[in-house]
Every structure is written in structure tokens, then in C-alpha cells.
């Protein structure tokens, strides 16, 4: 039977990120997707000007309606949230609508470049750690990993022992398989490190210059779809890393990478 997944992310009306990336990619794995949107943005936050409409009240109403419909999901994938209240709704969704043996992937969107996002406060951090404790997979960047562990962010000059110590620290929060994105030990290579069954594995690809909006969303979405389809962790990670690299090679524009080329039905 076709699997169903709930995706909790914002809607950016223009720009390639969050739900406008996750929905088509996860659907391409023959997964029926339901969206629980956290905010409506005119364009993603990488643009100099954008509007942001908070959908917290609508999240609550949507969850009530879904419960009345007795919906249930085989997968849970969360990303950008505006507040600790929204994170509480994500936990409610996980408790009430997601099957016990479902795949739970949490992308703890909390910060980047060594800085926390504006919505992050002590309460939000506590709720995100509670969500992380319920996850099968988490995909923080180095900044977010530090925020989860309540430590200063280290973005360069680290070695494998630092990454491995960080992964074991993240696992102690309760998640089964912690990952760290944006790991790089040498010029020209960037990738992902993950901890599974006591072993740390690294998957690298070519590092392209410049900022490519949507790379993290593309990675997490392909990873989630592949895992929900039954792929082993390392196979799914390699598939996701390769997809990001191919999307960048297909074309990089101001508003994101060409992930659509991965899904084309033309010809």
C-alpha cells in the first residue's frame, strides 16, 4: 500500500526551499504527502525582503480536523517552525496521528553560520530537544548541532574526533541516528556524517562555491523519501548527497538549485 507522510514546514511562495521542495521530492518516492504548514512567506528568507504570516492558529485547527478524520501517517518530517508553540503542535501530531512504528525525521531548523535564528529562545530549544528525542533521524548543520547541545558553534578547524564527539552527544538526546550536514575536512569537499550502531560514516561530494538555497531541504527530502521506501541508511544518505550534487550541477540561481531536473517526466 502507498505510504502516507506528514510534512511540517513553511510555505515559501517564491524560492526553492521548505515545503515547495519537500512535497514534490517526497511524492516522487510514491508517498502520499500531507502538509501541516507553519508559516506563509512571500519569498524565502534568503531574499532581502519578504513577508511572513504566522499559521500557528491554523496548525491547531488543522490538527483538530485531522483527528476528527482519524488520519494516521507512516512518516513524519519536520522542518522550519516559528515558535515553541508550533513545536508543541508537532509533538502533538507525532503523539496522536503518527503510527508507532513510523519513520520520524526531524530537521531541527534553529540557526546557521554560528548564529541562532530570531525565534530561538530557551523554551523553543527545550521543545526542539523533546522533538529530537523522538526522532529516528535528525539532520542538523554544525550550528544547529551546537545549539541542541548548548555549546558554542565550531564551524572550521575541527577534526574527525570533534565530529564524532558531537554525534555521540546528539545521540544522547534520544535520537536513533544523528547526522550532521555541511561537514568538511579539506578544501573542495563537503558532506554528511552520521552515527549508526556505534559507527560513524562520512559521505562527501564536491563542494561548489557560493550559497545554494535549498540544498539542505533537497538533501533531507530525498533522504526521507528513500528511507520511507525501505532504503538502508547509508544507501539513502549517498542517494541524497548525489541528488544535491546533481541538482547544483543542473543549475544554481539566486532563488535555489535545480531540483526539478531530478523529477522531470519529460521524454
Amino acid at each position: 500500500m502507498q505510504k502516507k507522510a506528514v510534512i511540517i514546514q513553511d510555505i515559501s511562495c517564491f524560492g526553492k526551499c521548505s515545503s515547495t521542495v519537500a512535497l514534490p521530492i517526497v511524492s516522487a518516492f510514491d508517498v502520499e504527502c500531507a502538509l501541516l504548514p507553519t508559516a506563509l512567506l512571500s519569498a524565502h528568507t534568503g531574499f532581502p525582503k519578504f513577508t511572513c504570516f504566522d499559521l500557528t492558529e491554523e496548525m491547531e485547527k488543522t490538527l483538530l480536523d485531522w483527528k476528527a478524520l482519524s488520519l494516521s501517517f507512516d512518516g513524519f518530517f519536520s522542518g522550519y517552525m516559528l515558535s515553541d508553540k508550533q513545536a508543541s503542535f508537532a509533538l502533538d501530531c507525532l503523539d496522536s496521528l503518527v503510527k508507532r512504528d513510523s519513520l520520524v525525521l526531524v530537521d531541527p531548523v534553529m540557526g546557521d553560520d554560528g548564529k541562532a535564528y530570531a525565534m530561538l529562545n530557551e523554551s523553543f530549544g527545550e521543545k526542539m530537544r523533546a522533538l529530537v528525542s523522538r526522532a529516528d533521524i535528525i539532520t542538523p548543520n554544525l550550528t544547529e548541532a551546537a545549539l541542541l547541545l548548548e555549546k558554542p558553534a565550531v564551524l572550521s578547524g575541527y577534526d574527525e574526533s570533534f565530529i564524532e564527539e558531537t554525534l555521540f552527544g546528539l545521540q544522547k538526546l534520544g535520537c536513533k541516528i544523528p547526522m550532521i550536514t555541511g561537514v568538511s575536512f579539506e578544501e573542495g569537499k563537503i558532506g554528511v556524517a552520521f552515527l549508526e550502531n556505534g559507527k560513524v560514516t562520512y559521505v562527501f561530494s564536491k563542494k561548489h562555491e557560493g550559497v545554494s538555497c535549498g540544498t539542505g531541504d533537497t538533501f533531507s527530502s530525498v533522504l526521507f523519501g528513500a528511507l520511507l521506501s525501505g532504503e538502508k541508511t547509508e544507501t539513502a544518505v549517498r542517494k541524497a548527497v548525489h541528488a544535491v550534487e546533481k541538482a547544483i550541477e543542473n543549475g544554481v540561481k539566486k532563488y535555489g538549485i535545480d531540483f526539478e531536473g531530478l523529477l522531470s517526466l519529460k521524454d
Side-chain angles (χ1 to χ4, degrees):
M1 292 181 63
Q2 187 183 40
K3 292 187 176 180
K4 296 193 286 290
V6 56
I7 296 174
I8 304 177
Q9 292 188 0
D10 69 278
I11 303 170
S12 289
C13 294
F14 184 73
K16 304 180 185 185
C17 71
S18 59
S19 63
T20 56
V21 172
L23 289 172
I25 289 179
V26 177
S27 296
F29 284 90
D30 192 27
V31 175
E32 181 182 347
C33 296
L35 178 64
L36 184 61
T38 60
L40 179 67
L41 285 76
S42 59
H44 68 59
T45 57
F47 284 87
K49 183 179 179 182
F50 59 89
T51 61
C52 179
F53 184 71
D54 188 332
L55 292 176
T56 301
E57 291 185 8
E58 294 304 316
M59 288 180 72
E60 184 173 23
K61 295 174 186 176
T62 300
L63 284 173
L64 287 171
D65 283 350
W66 286 359
K67 290 174 186 178
L69 291 170
S70 299
L71 297 184
S72 64
F73 299 101
D74 307 290
F76 173 99
F77 176 16
S78 68
Y80 183 70
M81 288 178 270
L82 293 179
S83 65
D84 55 329
K85 189 171 184 179
Q86 291 193 347
S88 292
F89 287 145
L91 285 164
D92 179 26
C93 178
L94 191 54
D95 287 331
S96 58
L97 296 172
V98 178
K99 298 174 185 175
R100 186 164 296 181
D101 59 348
S102 297
L103 173 68
V104 178
L105 190 153
V106 174
D107 185 5
V109 181
M110 301 170 74
D112 203 359
D113 297 325
K115 299 178 182 178
Y117 293 140
M119 79 289 197
L120 186 64
N121 54 33
E122 184 176 347
S123 182
F124 185 89
E126 289 173 358
K127 291 293 184 182
M128 186 57 70
R129 278 183 279 276
L131 197 55
V132 162
S133 74
R134 305 281 301 280
D136 295 299
I137 311 282
I138 63 171
T139 57
N141 58 34
L142 284 162
T143 299
E144 291 157 347
L147 289 167
L148 286 170
L149 296 174
E150 300 180 274
K151 294 183 177 181
V154 178
L155 305 183
S156 62
Y158 50 79
D159 57 14
E160 288 188 12
S161 64
F162 171 80
I163 294 297
E164 291 166 15
E165 179 184 345
T166 303
L167 285 168
F168 277 100
L170 291 170
Q171 193 172 63
K172 287 179 181 177
L173 296 177
C175 61
K176 294 178 182 177
I177 304 174
M179 300 188 182
I180 302 175
T181 62
V183 173
S184 179
F185 297 119
E186 59 181 288
E187 189 175 346
K189 287 188 177 181
I190 192 167
V192 177
F194 68 92
L195 172 62
E196 184 177 25
N197 297 325
K199 177 188 175 184
V200 175
T201 302
Y202 297 91
V203 179
F204 292 103
S205 65
K206 179 181 177 182
K207 184 176 182 179
H208 296 263
E209 295 300 320
V211 177
S212 301
C213 294
T215 53
D217 293 313
T218 299
F219 169 80
S220 296
S221 300
V222 174
L223 176 68
F224 180 71
L227 289 170
L228 201 55
S229 298
E231 299 277 10
K232 299 294 185 182
T233 307
E234 184 171 352
T235 303
V237 171
R238 292 190 181 280
K239 181 174 288 187
V241 169
H242 175 71
V244 171
E245 185 172 26
K246 186 175 180 182
I248 292 172
E249 290 173 351
N250 285 347
V252 177
K253 297 181 180 179
K254 178 180 179 181
Y255 44 86
I257 59 177
D258 181 13
F259 77 90
E260 295 92 344
L262 305 174
L263 313 174
S264 177
L265 294 174
K266 293 190 298 184
D267 303 323

